Amino acid sequence: MEVLYIVVPCYNEQEVLPETTKRLLEKLNTLIAKEKISADSRILYVDDGSKDKTWELIAKAHAEDVHVAGLKLSRNRGHQNALLAGLMTAKSLCDICISMDADLQDDIEAIDAMLEKHRQGCDIVYGVRSSRKKDTFFKRNSALAFYRFMKALGVEMVDNHAEYRLMSRRALEGLASFPEVNLFLRGIVPLIGFPSGTVEYERGERFAGETKYPLKKMLGFAFDGITSFSVKPIRFVFSMGILLFLVSIAVLIYSLVVKLLGHTVTGWTTVMISIWMIGGIQLLCLGVIGEYIGKIYQEVKHRPAYIIEAFLNDPVE
């Protein structure tokens, strides 16, 4: 039987963690009893530098049940790096790995369908939301716009999929070959290219605590995804530069003709609008280019994506 690790990144999740542990252990024990997975399977919590009692709760759960493992990062590194730390730690310990969030919004019962898809030959199984009826009007439409915009920029993504997915060991090995600092796993995983499938599920409400992805972070996450996987913004800047150059040539010719015909008039408003518009466009273009240069700067330093401070994982007797 295959060893399953359920990787759960956590940041200040003390309100929800006891219930998450209870439900995941129930599912894990049921799967073990039905001999669908090995008794060596684990729930691997990754504490992303939490400031509350998250790590204490993880250590307590580990002491009470050997099927709970814990990984503590030396400081907060962000959701994507914490998830990567868990996946790379589990890579050599398991045959299959399922990643999910700690807030219980992902349907735990979908794990059975994911395992079945894996048995049918899928190395990667994406958990896909069946609907967004529970979302607000703004969130539902902004998410739809995000996926369409990413696809328009050439980024391969699975619609309505977050981080709830199953990956086989060889898929994890494939993921390990991407030495990127600027992580956007939703875009990286489809690039691995092994056989994949999807499982639909109904996403629930957060059980307790507050969301770790307010609008500001979501916008930053989306921008990271765009600049990490597409050069089309740079090409757009280049195209806009060519367009403005052609417009400036046309304005130059027009100005010379008007001058020669003696019809020159004071055009203060036109001049001011032109200066502000061109200046704004230039700053926008420099900002886009600067974002790419900043990412190059981060990549070439080769700093570690995470540093592990502690790892709790005992063998099953």
Side-chain angles (χ1 to χ4, degrees):
M1 288 182 287
E2 293 182 309
V3 176
L4 167 67
Y5 267 57
I6 303 176
V7 176
V8 186
C10 306
Y11 179 68
N12 295 342
E13 297 287 5
Q14 65 178 14
E15 292 91 350
V16 72
L17 208 57
E19 184 65 22
T20 303
T21 301
K22 175 186 173 184
R23 296 190 190 183
L24 286 178
L25 279 176
E26 288 175 355
K27 172 56 65 178
L28 204 66
N29 289 327
T30 299
L31 293 172
I32 292 172
K34 292 180 178 180
E35 297 186 346
K36 292 187 176 182
I37 58 175
S38 168
D40 290 329
S41 299
R42 296 284 189 278
I43 301 163
L44 176 58
Y45 287 119
V46 183
D47 179 22
D48 185 25
S50 298
K51 298 177 181 178
D52 60 3
K53 296 181 179 180
T54 294
W55 180 246
E56 286 83 349
L57 290 172
I58 293 172
K60 181 176 180 290
H62 169 72
E64 294 174 350
D65 195 313
V66 72
H67 291 105
V68 178
L71 189 70
K72 180 177 175 60
L73 303 188
S74 60
R75 69 179 186 89
N76 178 253
R77 291 293 299 161
H79 180 273
Q80 296 290 280
N81 286 317
L83 178 54
L84 181 67
L87 295 175
M88 293 300 98
T89 299
K91 175 169 61 70
S92 60
L93 302 171
C94 69
D95 300 300
I96 44 178
C97 179
I98 292 178
S99 59
M100 63 185 302
D101 291 334
D103 55 17
L104 293 176
Q105 288 187 277
D106 297 324
D107 184 10
I108 294 175
E109 297 305 317
I111 290 176
D112 298 75
M114 287 183 170
L115 292 173
E116 184 57 34
K117 282 280 187 179
H118 171 64
R119 293 189 187 96
Q120 294 172 6
C122 292
D123 285 282
I124 304 171
V125 182
Y126 301 98
V128 176
R129 297 181 62 169
S130 57
S131 69
R132 286 185 171 270
K133 295 179 181 178
K134 295 181 180 180
D135 288 348
T136 62
F137 176 82
F138 173 77
K139 188 172 183 180
R140 182 168 57 252
N141 287 278
S142 61
L144 180 63
F146 169 68
Y147 287 112
R148 288 180 176 176
F149 186 57
M150 292 294 280
K151 285 190 174 183
L153 291 177
V155 182
E156 184 179 351
M157 288 180 60
V158 178
D159 287 352
N160 294 316
H161 164 71
E163 305 300 346
Y164 193 21
R165 71 176 74 88
L166 176 149
M167 298 181 71
S168 67
R169 177 179 287 186
R170 74 166 183 165
L172 291 172
E173 293 286 354
L175 178 62
S177 66
F178 288 80
E180 301 185 19
V181 173
N182 299 286
L183 289 175
F184 187 68
L185 293 175
R186 298 182 200 182
I188 293 176
V189 173
L191 296 178
I192 297 173
F194 291 132
S196 63
T198 61
V199 168
E200 291 191 350
Y201 71 98
E202 187 72 27
R203 190 168 171 85
E205 299 290 338
R206 167 175 270 273
F207 180 79
E210 297 180 353
T211 178
K212 305 305 183 294
Y213 269 91
L215 179 61
K216 182 180 179 180
K217 279 194 174 182
M218 286 299 296
L219 291 174
F221 185 61
F223 194 65
D224 282 342
I226 293 168
T227 53
S228 294
F229 280 86
S230 177
V231 296
K232 286 191 177 181
I234 289 285
R235 290 174 181 170
F236 175 74
V237 167
F238 177 70
S239 300
M240 189 161 51
I242 293 176
L243 178 62
L244 287 175
F245 174 73
L246 295 176
V247 170
S248 66
I249 295 295
V251 171
L252 175 63
I253 294 172
Y254 172 78
S255 300
L256 289 175
V257 171
V258 171
K259 177 71 174 176
L260 292 173
L261 293 176
H263 299 311
T264 54
V265 293
T266 303
W268 182 87
T269 303
T270 303
V271 171
M272 291 302 295
I273 291 175
S274 299
I275 291 174
W276 279 99
M277 184 183 72
I278 294 174
I281 292 174
Q282 287 177 331
L283 288 175
L284 175 64
C285 294
L286 287 173
V288 172
I289 295 170
E291 183 67 25
Y292 279 91
I293 294 174
K295 278 187 164 46
I296 294 170
Y297 173 67
Q298 291 177 334
E299 293 288 347
V300 298
K301 287 188 292 186
H302 299 295
R303 289 181 176 174
Y306 55 86
I307 296 174
I308 296 173
E309 180 178 329
F311 182 37
L312 304 176
N313 190 22
D314 297 331
V316 176
E317 296 180 358

